[in-house]
Amino acid sequence: MSSSSWPWHFITVSGDDKIRRRELLDLRGSYAQWSVIIVMSVLRVYQAWVTHSAATASSRPRRGPVSWWDRPLVTGWIETRRQYFVCGMWLLWLTSLSIWNSGEDYLHLTKAFAHVALSQVPLQILMSPAAYISTSKPSASSIFSYLTSIPQATVTPYHRLFGRAVIAPLLFAHATLYLLFFVQSEHPDFGILLFKRVRDFDVQCGLLAVSMTILLLLFARPRGVASKGVLGAGSMQERRRLFYYVHVFLVVVLCSAAYCHVAQAQKYMIQALGASLLNGVCSFLMVRWG
């Protein structure tokens, strides 16, 4: 980027600087994941306080009208203003973490967006309702719900919005900045670097991961028996099962592509696999024994 108003530029770094930048990327990922643990701990303490307060109250207050925060952001939408605000603040935190200590290095900032985004994939999976297709308990607790004592019905909207409003924008920022770098960089044989890099396996895996992210945004969950669209007609149970299988397939392809895209993503994708297994076992136990 040659514009003087843009603070990040294409710069050449030495071997020692590359090592330092790699350490900074790993540090960002650690901070992003530890912040998740801190938030979960705070939520657990808060829920314990709420439960204790409700148990010691002499009478339960009557429920009043729905607050402005708990109404949809736009008429017809599912998620509330509160949920958008929470996810927006988390996106702001992760964006700030990506920019932190990036200096003028354009490529370091570009890598930081993806590194921080992928560090959140295990959390996204831990919030998912793994028993979604269950006929008896589709809202059985996820690991996140169990650890924080927050009902899964409250967690699930955050799971949906977290993928759309937090992880996806960071991945899109990473892909866009890298494509701009390829377009603006020359190559002696291909004219511009883009025509060379799209032939490489790692870039193809990255493009596949971004494509899966787009499909996940477009493939929405079923909302009612009478609704039609991508999921077609059929009973709610049939369309829920179809959505679940397609959704999981897209996530698996995305994580596999990210794993093959760059070595630094492999740690988070292995964590995502472990989170998926644990979450599935937790939901199975909840469905089986409550």
Side-chain angles (χ1 to χ4, degrees):
M1 291 289 183
S2 59
S3 174
S4 59
S5 61
W6 181 256
W8 294 279
H9 310 282
F10 304 155
I11 63 176
T12 302
V13 295
S14 63
D16 291 339
D17 287 336
K18 288 182 179 179
I19 295 176
R20 179 175 175 273
R21 279 160 173 72
R22 172 50 50 202
E23 292 173 346
L24 273 174
L25 288 177
D26 292 337
L27 187 62
R28 283 186 175 86
S30 298
Y31 283 169
Q33 291 194 323
W34 275 107
S35 62
V36 170
I37 296 175
I38 292 173
V39 168
M40 290 179 66
S41 300
V42 171
L43 289 174
R44 178 67 183 188
V45 172
Y46 174 75
Q47 285 297 112
W49 176 78
V50 170
T51 302
H52 175 74
S53 299
T56 56
S58 57
S59 61
R60 177 176 296 180
R62 298 194 316 180
R63 176 175 295 181
V66 177
S67 70
W68 181 85
W69 278 105
D70 295 321
R71 295 174 182 171
L73 182 63
V74 176
T75 302
W77 289 17
I78 302 175
E79 292 81 14
T80 65
R81 293 183 175 94
R82 185 190 306 276
Q83 292 158 357
Y84 272 97
F85 175 78
V86 170
C87 290
M89 293 301 294
W90 197 253
L91 174 62
L92 180 62
W93 155 241
L94 295 180
T95 302
S96 301
L97 189 59
S98 301
I99 296 174
W100 166 71
N101 213 12
S102 61
E104 298 182 354
D105 193 340
Y106 177 95
L107 288 182
H108 181 71
L109 173 69
T110 303
K111 295 174 182 178
F113 280 128
H115 202 85
V116 170
L118 294 179
S119 73
Q120 303 296 287
V121 174
L123 167 64
Q124 172 72 347
I125 292 176
L126 290 178
M127 291 193 296
S128 64
Y132 183 69
I133 59 174
S134 170
T135 56
S136 57
K137 295 182 179 180
S139 295
S141 297
S142 62
I143 290 287
F144 186 93
S145 173
Y146 178 77
L147 292 178
T148 60
S149 294
I150 299 175
Q152 184 61 36
T154 302
V155 174
T156 298
Y158 286 101
H159 165 73
R160 293 195 303 265
L161 197 56
F162 192 82
R164 300 201 307 262
V166 178
I167 294 180
L170 293 172
L171 292 179
F172 291 155
H174 167 77
T176 301
L177 291 177
Y178 244 123
L179 288 175
L180 288 174
F181 168 71
F182 292 154
V183 169
Q184 296 180 71
S185 301
E186 297 181 355
H187 191 278
D189 299 324
F190 294 88
I192 60 174
L193 186 59
L194 175 66
F195 297 148
K196 163 62 173 64
R197 292 295 278 130
V198 294
R199 298 167 180 255
D200 296 334
F201 179 70
D202 61 326
V203 172
Q204 292 172 351
C205 288
L207 293 174
L208 177 60
V210 173
S211 299
M212 293 301 101
T213 304
I214 295 173
L215 289 178
L216 284 167
L217 294 179
L218 297 177
F219 193 72
R221 72 179 183 89
R223 296 184 55 185
V225 177
S227 64
K228 296 182 180 180
V230 178
L231 294 173
S235 68
M236 174 58 98
Q237 179 64 17
E238 292 172 344
R239 294 188 299 112
R240 180 186 290 144
R241 183 180 292 110
L242 174 61
F243 165 79
Y244 181 83
Y245 289 145
V246 174
H247 183 81
V248 171
F249 172 77
L250 294 176
V251 172
V252 169
V253 175
L254 190 159
C255 291
S256 300
Y259 183 92
C260 298
H261 174 57
V262 63
Q264 288 72 28
Q266 294 176 0
K267 173 178 67 174
Y268 300 125
M269 297 304 97
I270 293 174
Q271 290 176 0
L273 176 61
S276 180
L277 295 175
L278 287 175
N279 202 38
V281 170
C282 176
S283 293
F284 172 79
L285 294 177
M286 290 292 178
V287 171
R288 187 70 180 272
W289 290 291

